[in-house]
Each structure stands twice: as structure tokens, then as C-alpha cells.
Amino acid sequence: MLTEKRNEHSYHLHEQSTYDILQLMNEQDKKVPEVVENVLPQIERAVETMVATIEKGNKVIYLGAGTSGRLGVLDASECPPTFGVSPDVIQGIIAGGDGALRVAVEGAEDDEQLGGKDVEEAAEQGDVIVGIASSGGTPYVLGAVNKAKSLGLSTIGISCNEDTKLSQEADIAIELPVGPEVVTGSTRLKAGTAQKLVLNMLSTATMVRTGKVYENLMVNLQAKNHKLRKRAVSIIKELTQADDKEAAQAYDKAGGNTKAAILMQMFGVELTTAQEKLDKYKGNFVKAIGELNSV
């Protein structure tokens, strides 16, 4: 049984059993998906902006400090192995540089000019900037978003409070008011979970809408090791009803291009034709297969 709270949001955690601490954390965590659900329309707008940006050959850049920055870098870094896109397509920048992923860089989050400088160095016309800040008032992130706006770039803001400065500045505001944390001020808890859920949605839905996923399969998978090669061959088999040997041969003939191998096996076309269709639609497998289906 939890000890009575001093006030609505104060817990005597040091007096609780391990199980009680875990139970309390679990109860608080259950609130996060509902908070995310409430902003699905804003997340949808953000995805549509990201899709339009990538389809024009531009990129998405996440910027944040501390936990927010680490989560942005994590999401961006998982897109190439999962969806087979270039690391340039979705990028993550953390205040203080990559060293801040492991060791906190004191003062970096308070440097508004640094945020603007990072945007100037990384962004080009047509890119979209996603500022991530639990408080919604991190100077580094505000500096990044303000610089992006001055350059005419689209901006998205993700914060874990309501009516934040970040929301006021960003073109699209995603607010996730998860409430006080079990450990006061530790935004790696509910706030971090909420941000991770939203980033998962942003990148995954964007990759689906740009044709990197077909049905629920990672057709743009780039096999960099034996495990991923087996997965690629398995995807070819599932979509084309080929046997193990046929799927492996198609994969090898396509030079490891899973999408091209599927098109070759599915429609009986040569690699040049499969690649031509993919190039026509900038790698969008869904559009390429749609054209071949209509022939």
C-alpha cells in the first residue's frame, strides 16, 4: 500500500516496496497513450508535412536537448536499417553534439544561438525542422525553430506541456500534457515515453506513405547482415509465393535490392524494368507496383 501523499503529486517513494514503486510507475504510464490519442490530428498534419518534404527530395531534421535530443537521434538512426533510406532523409541532432548522447553537455540546452547555428549548418531550403522539448521552452530548441522560420522552413514542435513557447512558434504543435512525473522533473519517464510514441508514429507513418512499406512488410529493407538477408528473402517469398531457392535467386539477381527483386519475381520483368519503375517514382514501391499491375 502506498504511503499517503503529501499532496496530489508527491510520493514517498523511498518508503515503498519495489512492487509498489513499479505499480505506481505502471499506473502513470497507462495515461500516456491516451494523451497521444488526443493529438492524432496534429500528428497527422505533421506526417503529411514530412511526406511532402521527403517526396520533394528534401529531409526531416529532429532537434532536441537531453532526453528529447537522444530520442530524436534514436528515431532517426533507426530509419536506415528499418526502412532502407539514406541517413540523410531523417536526421537527428542533439544539443552539444553526438558526445551528448552519452555524457550531458552542460549549458548546451540553454544556448539559443547554438540551436540556430545547428539549423543553419544542417538544413537546406525545403527541409522540415522538428523541435522536441519536454518543457516546450528549451532555448536550444526555440533557437532552432526560430532560425528555421526565418529561413522559410516548415516547423513542427513536440512538447509535454500546454500552451508552450514552442507551440506558439511552430507551424504544427504537438502537445503531450502527461502531467507530473513519479520522480519530479524526470522527463525521461512519461514525457520521454510520450515523445517516443509520437516519434515512432511520425517516422513509421511517413515511411509507409512514401512507399517504404507494402502491406505491413519492410520492402525497402537493406540487408547488411545474414539475419537481414534472411528477412529480405522471407519478404520476397511472402509477397510472390516463390520458394526459398527462387526468392534467394531473385534477391541476388537484383543485387540485394529487395523491392526490385519482388517486382521481378511478381511480374516476370527484368531488373532494368523493375529499377526503371522504382526510379520513376523515386523509390516508392507502392506506386511502382501499381503501374505494373495496370499493364
Side-chain angles (χ1 to χ4, degrees):
M1 179 72 107
L2 284 170
T3 300
E4 185 178 350
K5 293 177 273 185
R6 291 194 306 274
N7 58 54
E8 185 182 357
H9 303 303
S10 297
Y11 306 98
H12 297 270
L13 293 180
H14 67 286
E15 298 176 1
Q16 310 308 319
S17 70
T18 299
Y19 184 85
D20 284 342
I21 294 170
L22 299 178
Q23 185 179 48
L24 174 60
M25 292 182 68
N26 184 240
E27 289 171 355
Q28 290 294 309
D29 287 342
K30 289 176 183 176
K31 300 177 181 180
V32 177
E34 183 176 345
V35 171
V36 174
E37 182 179 10
N38 290 336
V39 291
L40 288 179
Q42 292 91 322
I43 298 172
E44 179 187 28
R45 287 182 58 207
V47 169
E48 290 173 349
T49 298
M50 290 168 62
V51 169
T53 296
I54 291 172
E55 287 186 334
K56 291 176 183 176
N58 297 107
K59 60 185 179 289
V60 175
I61 304 175
Y62 298 142
L63 293 103
T67 298
S68 298
R70 293 184 186 96
L71 289 170
V73 172
L74 172 63
D75 192 74
S77 66
E78 289 178 338
C79 288
T82 305
F83 302 109
V85 295
S86 164
D88 295 333
V89 174
I90 298 182
Q91 300 180 15
I93 298 175
I94 183 171
D98 286 353
L101 292 170
R102 292 183 176 274
V103 180
V105 177
E106 300 299 335
E109 70 174 65
D110 295 326
D111 194 334
E112 188 169 342
Q113 290 186 336
L114 178 61
K117 179 173 178 289
D118 283 348
V119 167
E120 277 190 309
E121 292 180 352
E124 299 174 341
Q125 283 301 314
D127 291 346
V128 60
I129 300 300
V130 183
I132 314 168
S134 294
S135 67
T138 305
Y140 171 84
V141 176
L142 293 175
V145 169
N146 286 327
K147 174 57 68 174
K149 289 179 64 177
S150 74
L151 296 174
L153 308 182
S154 296
T155 56
I156 298 167
I158 303 174
S159 55
C160 295
N161 285 313
E162 295 178 295
D163 301 321
T164 67
K165 290 183 179 179
L166 178 57
S167 295
Q168 294 167 14
E169 297 297 333
D171 297 322
I172 300 172
I174 300 172
E175 294 187 331
L176 306 163
V178 294
E181 302 285 6
V182 171
V183 176
T184 301
S186 182
T187 54
R188 59 183 286 272
L189 300 176
K190 286 189 296 185
T193 299
Q195 289 174 336
K196 181 68 169 74
L197 290 177
V198 170
L199 291 169
N200 281 348
M201 288 180 168
L202 291 178
S203 57
T204 302
T206 296
M207 292 296 101
V208 171
R209 300 302 296 165
T210 54
K212 305 302 186 293
V213 175
Y214 184 72
E215 295 184 358
N216 67 329
L217 300 173
M218 298 183 292
V219 293
N220 209 47
L221 175 70
Q222 304 296 309
K224 302 295 185 181
N225 56 43
H226 182 65
K227 179 189 76 172
L228 292 179
R229 186 183 189 282
K230 287 181 64 177
R231 185 176 297 168
V233 170
S234 177
I235 290 171
I236 296 168
K237 286 174 55 183
E238 183 166 346
L239 289 177
T240 68
Q241 286 75 56
D243 60 27
D244 287 335
K245 183 178 180 181
E246 290 171 334
Q249 287 177 339
Y251 179 82
D252 291 335
K253 189 174 181 180
N257 185 326
T258 308
K259 292 186 297 187
I262 294 168
L263 295 179
M264 291 163 61
Q265 188 68 26
M266 187 178 287
F267 297 101
V269 299
E270 295 298 322
L271 175 59
T272 52
T273 301
Q275 193 60 59
E276 176 187 312
K277 300 303 180 186
L278 290 168
D279 291 343
K280 178 179 179 179
Y281 296 108
K282 298 181 180 178
N284 190 315
F285 180 80
V286 177
K287 292 182 178 180
I289 201 172
E291 178 171 326
L292 286 168
N293 265 325
S294 66
V295 175

